[in-house]
Amino acid sequence: MSGPGADGRGPGMTPFRLLLVEDSVNDAALVTAELEQAGYLPTARRVETLDALRDALATGPWDLVLCDYRLPRFSALDVLSLLHSQGGDVPLIVLSSQLSEDQAVTLMKAGARDCFSKDRMARLGPAVARELEETRVRRERTRAEVDRDILAKASELLTGSLEQAARLDQLVQLMVPRVADWCAFFLQDPNQGGLRLVALAHPDAERRAHAWKLDQRFPLDPQSAAGPAYVLRTGQPEFMPDVRKRSEPITRDVAHQRAIDGLGLRSVVNVALPGNDGRLGVLSMGTLGERTLAPVDLSLAQELARRTGLVLENARLFQEAREAVRLRDEFLTVAAHELRTPLTTLRLQLGTLLQRTEAHHLEPEVVTRLERSVRQVRRLGTLVEGLLDVSQLSSGELSLMPERFDLEELVSEVLDRYQAEARAAGCELRQSTRRGLWGTWDRLRVDQAVGALISNALKFGPGRPVEVDVGREGGFARIQVRDRGIGVPVDQVERIFERFGRAVSSHSYGGLGLGLYLARRAAEAHGGRAWAESASGEGARFTLELPLEKETRE
């Protein structure tokens, strides 16, 4: 141990908080002197009554209680009973001028950590050393459990479906009063700049209301030398075990500083909430009265801030992505509507010209070019309708206009429309023998879905036949389109039905990647389904199922 200082106390002495339950001033002085001789520097408080003891315990934490066995109106057993009722982890050592063996056994069974006579003070130093060390280990273990519990509950809240405000409000509740007397979140205000209080926990409703009013009346100075604004600006955590020793005021506004001082703060921890492009806000917590924060509290606050910042950043990115999707869908809707009118006009004009080709005896090459133009305009119109359908699907379910029709007849009409495209691709379109299969569906949506399956087969199976079969399977009508093209890798079978989903490069194969997506959505809107079966290099078979009417099934 280092030598004594000018006051007789060695610079290496161990400080701790001591509560003396003793009615003798002289005995209390002897205890303190013995502890200092043993290398301790106790911050001691002496009490003589149970009420005074109760008040002292409320201002804790205390590291040790030294108690006389018998005082005028109570005994050490009453002190133990009070300690147990308070629920704190404070060891008690009993000192007495006269203490029988039976009394010592009773005290130890009741929870005393040690008992010995005042004339054996040499035992005090080692007994205190043992209890302080055991208490430290117990408290560290208990605190680790508290931290794990808080972080586990925080993770549940952060990954839950709560809105941000409710989530932050519940997070600060986790810290009070287990770790701190109050806890708050400040977030950056994108509209006004600076920080604004968004969540606050304190057991006293009046103090909470006062803190909210204080935040509204005195916005935090972004250039302050301490406090949440300083932490936000610098990113450096702030840990003040005793704010009364702060070297600089938190604000240059005298009235604001006076209001902060009036809160009665003792310890403060401020840590930044990290984001990808900077700091999102600040987690702040503190204590009042005699309670103080420790480095372990700073570590807990930093971990909680890290997790909270990650979730807030992900929420921000999700919101930005959702807004980008909304803007894209809005653009698609406007673009599709704007393209509809000129395309309709162009299709009608080309159709009129094509009808007059025989009367005007146009050359075959001109007729061929007109037919090709009509097909391309029709194809462009299909793409525009697909874009419009996708934009509508983003805001709700696909709308249906059911009517009763023959499904096989509709498939034949679609195949007739694609004959020219099939010839250009070198494919033969084969349809199963027609038997008639009636049902009630949305004719336009089914037409689009069948067209998407056939167009897909022609695109990926050029030069080979495409087979189309219409039949029934239980209570469903089933349309199957089989090609013998490049096939679809197994891990891409579901992806091709996603919006803008592809299994191949868009540079090699055209289209927007919407046809199969709309086909599946049309089937699902009817209560059916659409799927694909394939092996790479062996072609693919696409199936569209639509529910039949009850009487059709029987």
Side-chain angles (χ1 to χ4, degrees):
M1 184 178 297
S2 302
D7 59 357
R9 298 176 178 180
M13 298 176 74
T14 303
F16 73 99
R17 286 173 56 82
L18 172 64
L19 190 53
L20 270 169
V21 186
E22 175 63 68
D23 60 343
S24 170
V25 176
N26 291 334
D27 285 356
L30 288 173
V31 168
T32 303
E34 182 63 32
L35 289 171
E36 291 176 355
Q37 183 66 30
Y40 292 98
L41 185 59
T43 300
R45 178 174 175 178
R46 187 177 67 87
V47 297
E48 299 183 21
T49 67
L50 287 178
D51 287 340
L53 174 60
R54 188 177 292 106
D55 292 341
L57 290 173
T59 64
W62 298 97
D63 297 311
L64 182 66
V65 176
L66 290 178
C67 178
D68 197 349
Y69 173 65
R70 188 173 299 281
L71 288 91
R73 296 185 179 181
F74 61 96
S75 71
L77 288 173
D78 297 311
V79 173
L80 282 169
S81 177
L82 180 57
L83 287 175
H84 292 161
S85 68
Q86 296 289 323
D89 180 16
V90 186
L92 179 140
I93 295 176
V94 178
L95 303 174
S96 178
S97 300
Q98 296 180 347
L99 189 66
S100 69
E101 185 176 342
D102 289 342
Q103 290 171 333
V105 171
T106 300
L107 286 168
M108 296 296 286
K109 287 183 177 179
R113 304 298 298 177
D114 206 344
C115 304
F116 51 85
S117 175
K118 289 181 179 179
D119 59 8
R120 301 178 65 184
M121 281 293 185
R123 289 185 55 184
L124 184 59
V128 168
R130 181 190 67 243
E131 292 309 319
L132 291 181
E133 177 60 19
E134 291 183 1
T135 301
R136 181 190 66 79
V137 172
R138 283 197 310 274
R139 288 179 176 177
E140 286 183 356
R141 186 182 301 116
T142 301
R143 178 52 193 266
E145 293 174 356
V146 169
D147 288 0
R148 283 195 296 270
D149 182 59
I150 288 175
L151 292 176
K153 291 179 178 177
S155 296
E156 290 180 9
L157 291 173
L158 289 169
T159 55
S161 58
L162 294 173
E163 292 294 328
Q164 177 174 294
R167 182 184 293 149
L168 295 179
D169 186 62
Q170 292 194 26
L171 282 175
V172 292
Q173 302 292 338
L174 294 177
M175 307 294 281
V176 178
R178 300 175 74 181
V179 176
D181 293 324
W182 60 266
C183 185
F185 276 113
F186 295 87
L187 294 184
Q188 286 210 70
D189 190 332
N191 299 321
Q192 300 179 359
L195 288 170
R196 61 185 178 89
L197 181 63
V198 297
L200 173 67
H202 188 281
D204 189 325
E206 187 174 338
R207 287 201 177 208
R208 284 200 307 273
H210 177 66
W212 283 105
K213 291 179 181 178
L214 191 65
D215 179 71
Q216 295 173 358
R217 182 182 176 189
F218 299 108
L220 295 175
D221 181 4
Q223 300 304 316
S224 63
Y230 168 80
V231 172
L232 180 72
R233 187 175 73 252
T234 65
Q236 297 298 316
E238 182 182 45
F239 171 44
M240 292 291 299
D242 192 341
V243 297
R244 298 171 300 185
K245 299 178 181 179
R246 194 190 295 273
S247 59
E248 295 186 43
I250 195 172
T251 176
R252 290 169 290 184
D253 187 323
V254 177
H256 188 190
Q257 186 62 50
R258 189 183 304 115
I260 293 175
D261 294 340
L263 294 174
L265 304 179
R266 179 63 181 273
S267 288
V268 169
V269 163
N270 291 301
V271 293
L273 305 179
N276 290 342
D277 300 322
R279 292 168 284 280
L280 306 175
V282 174
L283 168 62
S284 182
M285 66 181 188
T287 60
L288 308 171
E290 296 297 320
R291 186 181 185 184
T292 59
L293 295 175
V296 66
D297 302 306
L298 172 62
S299 299
L300 174 62
Q302 287 177 310
E303 178 59 22
L304 181 59
R306 184 190 69 80
R307 298 187 186 195
T308 304
L310 178 63
V311 171
L312 293 181
E313 181 69 13
N314 289 341
R316 182 184 67 81
L317 294 175
F318 175 74
Q319 183 61 33
E320 290 179 357
R322 186 164 60 178
E323 179 64 14
V325 170
R326 186 191 66 80
L327 291 174
R328 183 197 65 189
D329 290 340
E330 186 176 295
F331 168 77
L332 291 178
T333 301
V334 173
H337 278 294
E338 291 297 320
L339 289 170
R340 259 179 164 180
T341 301
L343 279 175
T344 301
T345 302
L346 182 58
R347 185 168 61 247
L348 290 173
Q349 294 293 333
L350 288 174
T352 301
L353 289 175
L354 195 58
Q355 291 174 359
R356 297 178 179 178
T357 54
E358 293 185 6
H360 292 79
H361 305 289
L362 296 179
E363 296 179 3
E365 182 180 352
V366 174
V367 175
T368 301
R369 289 178 179 272
L370 279 175
E371 290 176 341
R372 188 176 302 160
S373 297
V374 170
R375 289 197 301 273
Q376 293 303 318
V377 169
R378 184 183 297 119
R379 179 174 176 77
L380 185 57
T382 301
L383 293 175
V384 169
E385 292 298 325
L387 288 175
L388 187 58
D389 284 340
V390 167
S391 63
Q392 291 173 345
L393 280 170
S394 298
S395 58
E397 293 297 323
L398 198 64
S399 59
L400 299 178
M401 298 180 64
E403 61 178 287
R404 184 171 170 77
F405 60 89
D406 182 351
L407 184 61
E408 288 193 306
E409 181 183 344
L410 180 141
V411 171
S412 295
E413 292 176 3
V414 175
L415 287 173
D416 287 343
R417 276 204 319 269
Y418 276 89
Q419 287 298 337
E421 188 173 329
R423 286 194 296 271
C427 295
E428 178 188 358
L429 289 176
R430 301 173 180 173
Q431 183 180 7
S432 58
T433 304
R434 287 195 55 198
R435 298 175 297 276
L437 185 58
W438 288 77
T440 301
W441 307 286
D442 185 309
R443 189 181 188 95
L444 175 60
R445 299 301 181 191
V446 176
D447 185 299
Q448 289 176 331
V450 174
L453 299 186
I454 294 173
S455 176
N456 184 77
L458 296 175
K459 182 191 301 184
F460 294 102
R464 299 181 180 180
V466 173
E467 299 173 355
V468 181
D469 178 68
V470 181
R472 69 170 68 201
E473 184 69 27
F476 291 86
R478 177 175 286 184
I479 305 167
Q480 291 186 321
V481 178
R482 171 71 185 271
D483 66 65
R484 291 173 174 77
I486 63 174
V488 185
V490 175
D491 61 345
Q492 297 292 321
V493 168
E494 283 301 309
R495 175 174 170 75
I496 60 177
F497 285 97
E498 296 175 1
R499 182 165 49 172
F500 305 111
R502 294 177 176 276
V504 295
S505 170
S506 59
H507 296 292
S508 303
Y509 296 90
L512 299 176
L514 293 175
L516 295 180
Y517 167 74
L518 291 172
R520 172 170 281 185
R521 291 302 300 268
E524 292 173 348
H526 284 89
R529 60 193 184 116
W531 71 93
E533 300 165 274
S534 175
S536 184
E538 298 180 8
R541 180 170 62 188
F542 289 81
T543 303
L544 182 73
E545 271 192 353
L546 301 171
L548 290 164
E549 297 170 321
K550 185 175 181 181
E551 58 270 19
T552 307
R553 302 178 192 178
E554 296 175 347

